[in-house]
Amino acid sequence: MTILITGAAGFIGSHVAQALLARGDQVVGIDNLNDYYSVALKRARLEQLEGKPGFRFIKADVSDKASIAEVLAQVKAGGEDITGIVHLAAQAGVRYSLENPYAYADANVMGQVVMLEAARSLDRLDHFVYASSSSVYGSNTKLPFSIDDPVDHPVSLYAATKRAGELITHSFSHIHKLPATGLRFFTVYGPWGRPDMAAYLFCDAIMAGRPIRVFNEGRMERDFTYIDDIVAGVVAALDRPATPDERGVPVRLYNLGNHRSENLLHFISVIEDALGRKAEKSLEPMQAGDVPATYADIAATRRDLGFDPATPIEVGIPRFVAWYKAYHGIV
């Protein structure tokens, strides 16, 4: 099979590419290598993939329909048939959406439309899998978050664009009978993780002797999910094309989370133990667009995808810290 992965230089995308290559799939990876965070880190991830049998990288922007049309033309010219798309490219980050809302409309809304149009143009496509987010649950207070919960009150533009992606995909699936599965990721962490995420930010600050910013004065809980568990869920979803629902629409949504909500202060203490250093904490109020708690109900994901996350933060955080030290040359 040839699988097209968008956001292939990203955290989750590069890991998914590794997993698909390891089982013998052909992978075409695309990414625009933007500078939202370190391009050097993105290129380092790609270096882990380039040269591996079956991998091919094409620089492209998912919000640019001409760019994606060129990608499809190149793949077709090479005699390949794309049978699956894993669409992970997005403008991430809740807080950055307060500064640059246009980036979210371009990448997360236009990008979704462009990739769905690309998907329906392919003759042999079996499944379109795409990234959504736990942020769509917004101001919901019922825990754990279930895919059956209403998601009509997003508290950030990022969340609104991810929910828009779900709705746009539903309309495409309804009209074109395109099998599509959306995955709501819950706070993913692990080796090669993003520098704007908590684990990386905290490690950077602690190693530099800077205070770490602890929002809502630490009264936060997150369903931290290790990257290997997320990858297993993505691959399981890809291998199980969505079947028609009760309305005849071949579309599905699933939570991918650890099904275990951790207190932020405990998360920090595990990082401290792994680093062998204590953090200086700057206790701050809740930031606009943030939510106090996330917690995934994964009953449907377990039932349909066989998803069974197995990595607690006491195991995952030391693995992340070991990678962080190696990547930064810290002895």
Side-chain angles (χ1 to χ4, degrees):
M1 296 193 297
T2 296
I3 309 300
L4 176 66
I5 299 178
T6 73
F11 174 33
I12 299 174
S14 61
H15 280 275
V16 171
Q18 292 274 15
L20 294 178
L21 291 168
R23 73 177 193 177
D25 290 340
Q26 304 291 302
V27 174
V28 176
I30 66 174
D31 201 294
N32 69 352
L33 298 175
N34 70 25
D35 62 358
Y36 167 63
Y37 64 82
S38 169
V39 177
L41 175 58
K42 295 178 182 181
R43 293 193 183 279
R45 293 184 188 127
L46 282 178
E47 288 174 6
Q48 305 296 307
L49 297 168
E50 290 173 332
K52 289 196 172 186
F55 182 74
R56 179 181 179 192
F57 177 71
I58 304 172
K59 186 178 180 181
D61 187 333
V62 295
S63 67
D64 182 347
K65 60 184 179 181
S67 180
I68 298 305
E70 177 59 26
V71 169
L72 298 187
Q74 287 187 44
V75 174
K76 186 175 182 180
E80 300 169 84
D81 285 316
I82 295 171
T83 55
I85 291 176
V86 181
H87 175 41
L88 302 173
Q91 179 56 61
V94 170
R95 291 165 192 143
Y96 185 60
S97 68
L98 303 174
E99 303 171 29
N100 187 2
Y102 301 108
Y104 292 77
D106 289 341
N108 300 357
V109 180
M110 180 59 78
Q112 193 81 0
V113 173
V114 170
M115 290 311 303
L116 285 163
E117 278 288 282
R120 77 181 188 91
S121 75
L122 297 170
D123 296 329
R124 296 189 57 192
L125 187 80
D126 297 324
H127 202 189
F128 180 87
V129 176
Y130 67 97
S132 187
S133 169
S134 63
S135 295
V136 301
Y137 291 106
S139 57
N140 286 15
T141 56
K142 181 186 77 64
L143 295 173
F145 296 153
S146 166
I147 55 168
D148 296 321
D149 292 342
V151 285
D152 302 326
H153 300 95
V155 297
S156 70
L157 179 65
Y158 169 68
T161 61
K162 297 308 277 186
R163 179 56 178 157
E166 294 178 351
L167 295 172
I168 290 166
T169 302
H170 189 282
S171 69
F172 267 76
S173 293
H174 173 76
I175 295 167
H176 304 293
K177 305 306 177 187
L178 173 68
T181 295
L183 302 173
R184 293 175 175 171
F185 296 139
F186 281 69
T187 316
V188 189
Y189 75 98
W192 297 100
R194 288 191 355 236
D196 63 324
M197 296 293 284
Y200 209 124
L201 288 169
F202 292 160
C203 282
D204 267 351
I206 293 169
M207 294 305 295
R210 299 191 311 269
I212 62 173
R213 303 178 71 189
V214 182
F215 295 107
N216 202 31
E217 300 180 334
R219 296 187 297 274
M220 304 276 279
E221 294 184 353
R222 287 291 181 271
D223 196 335
F224 293 102
T225 314
Y226 190 65
I227 184 61
D228 290 1
D229 294 325
I230 288 289
V231 170
V234 173
V235 174
L238 176 66
D239 290 344
R240 295 164 174 80
T243 54
D245 62 12
E246 66 278 4
R247 294 182 175 85
V249 183
V251 66
R252 290 288 185 273
L253 285 169
Y254 295 106
N255 287 334
L256 287 190
N258 202 34
H259 190 55
R260 178 175 170 174
S261 200
E262 304 282 0
N263 179 270
L264 181 58
L265 294 177
H266 174 58
F267 181 76
I268 293 168
S269 73
V270 176
I271 293 176
E272 290 174 324
D273 290 344
L275 285 173
R277 297 192 182 195
K278 287 294 183 182
E280 179 185 348
K281 305 177 185 70
S282 174
L283 302 181
E284 302 185 16
M286 180 81 82
Q287 274 212 328
D290 220 339
V291 296
T294 67
Y295 179 16
D297 179 339
I298 59 171
T301 323
R302 278 190 167 129
R303 180 193 67 223
D304 296 350
L305 305 183
F307 179 66
D308 190 20
T311 315
I313 61 171
E314 290 77 10
V315 173
I317 285 297
R319 291 177 185 171
F320 169 75
V321 168
W323 168 83
Y324 173 89
K325 288 182 173 181
Y327 180 72
H328 290 284
I330 299 170
V331 179

